[in-house]
Amino acid sequence: FDGRGGRPALLAVRGRVLDVSGEPMYAPRDDGRRSYHVFVARDASRALATMRLDDDACASLRTDDLDDEQLSTLAQWADKLEAKYALVGV
């Protein structure tokens, strides 16, 4: 779900689905500027690990080719997000 039409805004990290509804930074933008909405309705693990907001990073589910630093970054993001938002699926 992408937060449109009254649906919740969900994102996944390492296969764990989190509800980020109500957070303005994850809302869609109509002004053409990038926002964290790019992470919504998909597994954002690769994008978070590589610190990229582009669609290519967000579209890829691959994490097996990440280096140790990227895996550490991903773990930090996962811990932070899982502590803040409700887990709604795996």
Side-chain angles (χ1 to χ4, degrees):
F1 294 114
D2 69 359
R4 292 186 170 108
R7 293 183 174 176
L10 306 178
L11 69 80
V13 60
R14 297 191 302 188
R16 298 170 62 87
V17 182
L18 306 171
D19 186 345
V20 296
S21 300
E23 282 286 351
M25 68 183 132
Y26 292 106
R29 295 184 65 118
D30 295 327
D31 60 8
R33 294 174 56 197
R34 302 295 281 173
S35 75
Y36 291 128
H37 183 72
V38 71
F39 298 145
V40 175
R42 58 179 87 198
D43 190 310
S45 296
R46 183 175 192 81
L48 292 168
T50 58
M51 301 295 290
R52 291 173 46 197
L53 287 175
D54 59 272
D55 288 327
D56 288 341
C58 292
S60 177
L61 296 176
R62 283 193 70 189
T63 56
D64 61 322
D65 61 338
L66 298 175
D67 63 32
D68 289 341
E69 183 177 342
Q70 292 167 327
L71 289 170
S72 175
T73 298
L74 175 57
Q76 291 170 21
W77 272 112
D79 290 346
K80 182 177 184 174
L81 293 170
E82 290 174 11
K84 186 171 184 178
Y85 301 109
L87 177 68
V88 294
V90 289

